[in-house]
Amino acid sequence: MSETEWDVIVIGAGAVGENVAGRAAERGLSVVIVENELIGGECSYWACMPSKALLRSSSALRAARAVPGAREAVTGEVDVAAVFARRDSFTSGWDDSSQVEWLQSAGIDLVRGHARLAGERVVHVTSDDGAGRELTARHAVVVSTGSTAAMPDIPGLAEATPWTSREATSATSAPASLAIIGGGVVAAEMATAYTGLGSTVTLIARSGLLGSSEPFAGELVGSALTDAGATVLIGRSPVAVRRLSDESVEIDLDDGSTVSAAEVLVATGRSAHTADVGLETVGLTPGDWLPVDDTMLVEGFDWLYATGDVNHRALLTHQGKYQARAAGDVIAARALGSELSTEAWGTHVATADHAAVPQVTFTDPEVASVGLTAAAAEEAGLDIRVVDYDLGAVAGSSLHAEGYSGRARMVVDEARSVVVGATFVGPDVAELVHAATIAVVGEVPLSRLWHAVPAYPTINEVWLRLLETYGRPAQ
């Protein structure tokens, strides 16, 4: 490839970078994407897809055992080798050929290598063989490099060769025992997955489980993990880690106790993947998150954009793709001198990142939420009313599974009589969250939600029960 100049350069070919590139190319711009790993990125190979594949088989088995008639047909345990083989099918064996074909079909050029900013609209790429080349953007450079696992400063931890989310989702077998440091989504999901795969799991969560969710979410997930055989240690902190052998790690805790395991997984958050992308050449600090406006333009620039995890707005693939669509439209409109109007370009800005973000944690039970928690709404100064309902009391729940247990919460802004947050905890509640997302994003008045009649008998009937508990508002 002899080209050196494109309309748009995208650094990072994960799901978000691909969407920026695709959107800009659809609008008629020339686009090149630069990647030094696999095309498709974290979500395709080390996060969303492989993690959910590891979780699904055990989840399906638990679901079957919760329904009489199906329960009696279950004669064995999860086939662990088959679970890993299925996981491999979703990652295409860590082969990105199909993703490369998609780029080609979309008219997007690909340069493999490590990209670093080298000045205004200039990107230097170093290939694996050490060769370098310079790319220039006529209009925009988009940083979509994502995030990396944060490594806490615990004596001995780095030397103990711990797992991060990447090792957890790409492992070829389940360790006999696994200690997990952290209490967030990755920690809870991997505790669920490896407990289901037969590992003896110890979860060490200093500040509780799923701390950004409603408190009852972490409580219900923690209880379920304990019931499944995991050990959940809340309020404990590691103070030292020692690798004794290839299959033995010891973790000293602040209460004087010690946890032993074959492997240790660190799941204590994420860091911006910007340490070596040349931020210093344009006056930014390496390793920092990149703050942006709602069009994904980096503050202080008219050509530099940042989409996905790297801007620290919402570290979720679906929100990153949403940002990517916004950025691609805006870049094209600005490049082509068009008005930034919905009518002309379908252009939108990423306003949903602020208070309408949906998320599902695929634990058992699942946690599905959108918008603000009660605590976040109060912190934002809203006059709220919180409405809770027992999901197990809904007719569709008892049909779905014997002994169904769960909880739903609706957070209402009393001044506007609209839902600003909703959380569901229970088996298969992931399928409830989009209705809640529409209610929150659409700012649908409660008086109108009464006329969104849920089909009977489904778990969605919880919407009717939440509204009844709230009481019919004035028309």
Side-chain angles (χ1 to χ4, degrees), residues 5-9 28-32 136-141 331 335-336:
E5 189 170 286
W6 288 262
D7 290 326
V8 182
I9 300 171
L29 301 185
S30 62
V31 183
V32 62
T136 302
R138 299 183 189 95
H139 299 292
V141 175
I331 290 168
L336 299 172

Side-chain angles (χ1 to χ4, degrees), residues 8-337:
V8 182
I9 300 171
V10 180
I11 302 175
V16 177
E18 285 181 315
N19 272 265
V20 177
R23 198 75 167 194
E26 285 175 7
R27 299 294 188 244
L29 301 185
S30 62
V31 183
V32 62
I33 196 164
V34 187
E35 177 57 62
N36 67 331
E37 290 190 303
L38 295 174
I39 310 305
E42 203 76 14
C43 182
S44 296
Y45 302 104
W46 299 286
C48 322
M49 298 305 290
S51 67
K52 304 315 170 278
L54 290 176
L55 284 156
R56 179 56 186 157
S57 298
S58 297
S59 173
L61 184 60
R62 287 190 294 269
R65 286 174 170 163
V67 182
R71 175 190 300 153
E72 289 74 15
V74 177
T75 58
E77 299 299 323
V78 166
D79 185 325
V80 177
V83 172
F84 283 108
R86 183 171 186 263
R87 184 274 318 273
D88 291 351
S89 73
F90 281 97
T91 64
S92 301
W94 288 271
D95 183 327
D96 63 0
S97 300
S98 63
Q99 302 273 24
V100 173
E101 290 173 5
W102 178 82
L103 289 178
Q104 293 170 343
S105 70
I108 300 165
D109 291 325
L110 168 64
V111 173
R112 290 194 184 267
H114 181 77
R116 299 182 82 257
L117 293 168
E120 184 172 337
R121 295 185 177 86
V122 178
V123 175
H124 187 272
V125 181
T126 305
S127 61
D128 288 344
D129 63 7
R133 60 179 300 190
E134 217 165 68
L135 317 180
T136 302
R138 299 183 189 95
H139 299 292
V141 175
V142 185
V143 179
S144 295
T145 50
S147 62
T148 59
M151 191 64 61
D153 186 17
I154 300 171
L157 179 60
E159 294 75 19
T161 60
W163 281 8
T164 66
S165 54
R166 281 199 167 196
E167 289 75 23
T169 56
S170 61
T172 56
S173 62
S177 53
L178 176 65
I180 302 175
I181 301 173
V185 171
V186 172
E189 287 190 345
M190 289 299 96
T192 303
Y194 278 96
T195 298
L197 293 173
S199 299
T200 299
V201 172
T202 302
L203 183 64
I204 306 163
R206 179 184 62 187
S207 302
L209 281 179
L210 303 177
S212 62
S213 302
E214 296 285 7
F216 63 83
E219 293 166 5
L220 291 173
V221 170
S223 294
L225 282 170
T226 300
D227 291 345
T231 299
V232 180
L233 304 177
I234 302 296
R236 315 276 184 86
S237 295
V239 294
V241 180
R242 293 178 298 281
R243 168 69 69 177
L244 303 180
S245 69
D246 289 345
E247 297 183 353
S248 179
V249 178
E250 287 186 346
I251 304 167
D252 294 336
L253 304 183
D254 57 358
D255 64 353
S257 63
T258 298
V259 172
S260 298
E263 297 290 351
V264 56
L265 163 62
V266 178
T268 55
R270 308 289 292 179
S271 299
H273 192 17
T274 62
D276 191 22
V277 294
L279 294 186
E280 68 280 4
T281 69
V282 294
L284 298 172
T285 303
D288 278 2
W289 304 101
L290 298 176
V292 296
D293 65 15
D294 285 345
T295 70
M296 303 298 110
L297 192 65
V298 177
E299 294 176 3
F301 294 83
D302 63 3
W303 58 273
L304 183 63
Y305 294 75
T307 54
D309 282 14
V310 77
N311 62 37
H312 207 231
R313 287 165 67 102
L315 277 66
L316 297 161
T317 297
H318 48 275
Q319 292 300 126
K321 290 181 177 181
Y322 164 71
Q323 295 171 9
R325 293 189 292 270
D329 282 350
V330 167
I331 290 168
R334 288 171 174 159
L336 299 172

